[in-house]
Amino acid sequence: MKILLFLFLTFSLMFTSCDESDKNDGIDFLENSGTKAEKFAGDWYVVFQLDGETLTNPAEIHTFNTASNIKNEFWIQDFAVWGFQIKAQGNDDLTFASIDGTDISEFGENGTITNGKIMIDAAKSKTGNVTDSIYMEVVFESDPGETYVIAGHKRTRWPEDDY
């Protein structure tokens, strides 16, 4: 008798629990997931250059959404080389520049980012995996006459590609 009752309840729930008319209360979670600046977000291995000379080994920088999660507004953060965190405004063609150049990190290195660009599948990682490329030019407030180039590729997360 218990088996019949179990089967009856199981079949009853199967047919009544699949009402999709009010599924998620009208919210499309796939449409609303992620960050609005996700096309700019990532971890990157870059080098810093000045006048065509590479100044650093590959170092990791990060790009990520702001707390307000506004479309195409994101942070560029480097704590490995120069030490800055500057807000940038991106465009639909994946170009970007700093908004006001104010650094909010503990290092306080203000700077102006120009000519920023993310290029899809335009780079190769350390082991030859195809990945995205990033490029930007930065003038730091502490070194106003010099334009530094920061360029590199997106981190693949394969251990053999890490520096």
Side-chain angles (χ1 to χ4, degrees):
M1 186 66 166
K2 288 182 183 181
I3 293 175
L4 288 174
L5 181 61
F6 174 77
L7 290 174
F8 174 75
L9 289 174
T10 302
F11 284 118
S12 297
L13 288 175
M14 268 186 7
F15 293 111
T16 59
S17 65
C18 294
D19 179 17
E20 295 192 25
S21 62
D22 63 346
K23 187 174 183 181
N24 299 330
D25 295 326
I27 298 171
D28 184 352
F29 287 104
L30 291 177
E31 183 178 312
N32 294 313
S33 65
T35 170
K36 291 184 179 175
E38 67 185 311
K39 58 188 172 183
F40 294 98
D43 299 324
W44 307 84
Y45 287 118
V46 298
V47 294
F48 285 65
Q49 300 171 327
L50 181 61
D51 297 326
E53 180 183 342
T54 300
L55 305 175
T56 64
N57 291 324
E60 194 169 353
I61 66 169
H62 311 281
T63 54
F64 51 93
N65 66 293
T66 62
S68 57
N69 200 23
I70 297 172
K71 179 183 179 191
N72 296 344
E73 185 178 283
F74 62 101
W75 291 107
I76 301 171
Q77 179 187 69
D78 160 49
F79 291 154
V81 178
W82 204 275
F84 64 85
Q85 183 170 324
I86 297 173
K87 192 182 293 185
Q89 176 68 45
N91 303 304
D92 290 336
D93 65 355
L94 299 181
T95 59
F96 61 89
S98 58
I99 293 176
D100 66 7
T102 302
D103 175 30
I104 65 147
S105 76
E106 61 198 54
F107 301 105
E109 184 59 62
N110 295 334
T112 303
I113 298 171
T114 58
N115 298 319
K117 176 84 174 157
I118 292 175
M119 295 153 278
I120 305 299
D121 294 339
K124 292 198 177 195
S125 67
K126 184 166 79 169
T127 61
N129 291 310
V130 175
T131 188
D132 298 343
S133 175
I134 192 168
Y135 174 92
M136 68 189 92
E137 296 172 3
V138 185
V139 176
F140 293 106
E141 198 173 78
S142 63
D143 197 3
E146 303 292 347
T147 300
Y148 291 84
V149 171
I150 301 174
H153 65 82
K154 196 168 201 175
R155 184 175 176 214
T156 65
R157 302 218 176 261
W158 292 103
E160 59 271 14
D161 279 336
D162 288 344
Y163 288 90

